[in-house]
Amino acid sequence: MPVQSLKEIVDRSFAERYGVPAINVFNDLTLEAVLAGAVAASSPVIVQTSVKTVRSIGAGLLAAMWQELTRDIPVPVALHLDHCPDRAVITTCLEHGWNSVLFDASELPVAENQRQTIEVVAEARRYGAHVEGEIESITGVEDDHGSDEESARQSLEVQLGFLRETGVDVFAPAIGNAHGSYKTTPVLDGERISQIVAAHPVPIALHGGSGLSDEQFRDLIARGCAKVNISTALKERFMQSELAFLEDARTQEKWDPPSLFRSTRDDVIELVVGFAEVFGSAGKAG
Ligand SMILES: [Zn+2]
């Protein structure tokens, strides 16, 4: 099974209407534990890296860890570059074996975004890789990327034109979702997803997944959200898990790093299994 293309993974989840967890990792422990969580749930998983993570760890080291950790993995996995406006970083990741990229030119006018997305799709195809596209910025700042201002939404006609002209494999429309933590439960425009999918059946990526209710996840996945991005929830679980462990270590005066890592790993695995169950991807690895 091991590493598959993004398209194989999301075309199946789109057809069968489940959501594949697409989780942003930020170090070796989270990379390994997210993969272990997918294996524990017998679920496909998309491992994502932000541009910030690629810059801080380096594409070469990330790719080496990825290859080693996925060599004999029994579930479908793909490595994806999240929100990347920088064409040079996209090229570097494709050269190092990333299976897909989100070219994020949502800050540019749609026509220029579309022109460049066509180029990125052509570049990715030379590596057998796939492309997620977006023409509306997702609200909120994540790993130094983005803005808290809600961006303008495009008409259905403009969205369909973009999908037709670029041939992107996955599309990420704005539906009232946001990166980071929601202060109140967001009101989401699921109808936008249904309209796009009815007119142009393309797997949809749901951004800003951390903090949505199980009902919201199920509704949006049923409408065609085949890739569900999770970033903030993992960061929070990681830090809170370590904090709780370290407070306990201080009380007990026991300072053993491997037990800290084991405890964090267990909590990350539990988080991934929980998402796979809600998204319906658990048990879909076969
Ligand atoms: Zn996002």
Side-chain angles (χ1 to χ4, degrees):
M1 185 114 34
V3 179
Q4 290 192 358
S5 71
L6 177 77
K7 192 167 167 56
E8 283 173 279
I9 292 176
V10 296
D11 278 359
R12 182 176 166 204
S13 64
F14 182 67
E16 298 183 22
R17 287 295 193 269
Y18 60 88
V20 176
I23 303 183
N24 286 54
V25 302
F26 42 81
N27 66 357
D28 53 346
L29 188 151
T30 49
L31 170 58
E32 191 278 332
V34 165
L35 292 169
V39 172
S42 193
S43 168
V45 74
I46 297 160
V47 170
Q48 305 199 139
T49 56
S50 68
V51 173
K52 188 180 182 182
T53 296
V54 173
R55 291 208 170 107
S56 70
I57 298 178
L61 181 53
L62 275 168
M65 289 194 286
W66 171 255
Q67 282 157 18
E68 187 64 28
L69 289 167
T70 58
R71 183 166 299 139
D72 298 313
I73 197 156
V75 299
V77 296
L79 182 61
H80 176 82
L81 175 65
D82 201 15
H83 296 282
C84 184
D86 186 334
R87 297 278 298 273
V89 175
I90 286 184
T91 299
T92 299
C93 287
L94 290 171
E95 284 171 351
H96 282 85
W98 264 248
N99 304 103
S100 53
V101 297
L102 165 50
F103 176 53
D104 183 348
S106 56
E107 296 288 303
L108 299 178
V110 175
E112 176 59 13
N113 179 340
Q114 187 163 307
R115 188 188 70 75
Q116 289 202 40
T117 302
I118 290 168
E119 292 178 356
V120 171
V121 170
E123 183 183 4
R125 294 291 184 261
R126 293 200 290 276
Y127 296 88
H130 295 96
V131 177
E132 179 178 334
E134 68 172 282
I135 53 175
E136 302 153 331
S137 320
I138 310 293
T139 309
V141 180
E142 182 174 75
D143 278 6
D144 305 335
H145 174 86
S147 142
D148 284 325
E149 299 286 311
E150 192 161 349
S151 77
R153 293 200 193 163
Q154 304 296 335
S155 67
L156 180 63
E157 199 182 12
V158 169
Q159 290 177 317
L160 296 176
F162 177 84
L163 290 170
R164 234 181 2 251
E165 296 301 321
T166 60
V168 291
D169 307 286
V170 176
F171 186 52
I175 54 162
N177 46 339
H179 291 135
S181 309
Y182 295 101
K183 289 174 188 77
T184 54
T185 307
V187 179
L188 300 180
D189 187 356
E191 201 40 43
R192 280 198 109 204
I193 307 279
S194 299
Q195 284 173 358
I196 296 165
V197 166
H200 187 113
V202 62
I204 301 292
L206 174 61
H207 286 249
S210 302
L212 301 186
S213 70
D214 291 359
E215 289 68 33
Q216 285 176 313
F217 280 129
R218 290 194 187 102
D219 173 61
L220 294 167
I221 289 166
R223 292 173 187 271
C225 287
K227 170 176 180 283
V228 184
N229 288 19
I230 297 293
S231 177
T232 304
L234 176 59
K235 290 177 181 166
E236 288 177 357
R237 179 65 71 95
F238 181 89
M239 297 282 292
Q240 285 163 2
S241 172
E242 300 222 325
L243 180 63
F245 187 93
L246 289 169
E247 280 172 343
D248 193 50
R250 182 162 56 191
T251 310
Q252 297 191 41
E253 293 269 352
K254 272 175 72 177
W255 305 106
D256 177 45
S259 30
L260 166 67
F261 303 150
R262 254 195 314 278
S263 157
T264 310
R265 177 180 190 268
D266 287 347
D267 281 353
V268 173
I269 289 172
E270 185 185 84
L271 181 80
V272 174
V273 170
F275 281 127
E277 283 167 357
V278 173
F279 301 167
S281 64
K284 296 285 188 182

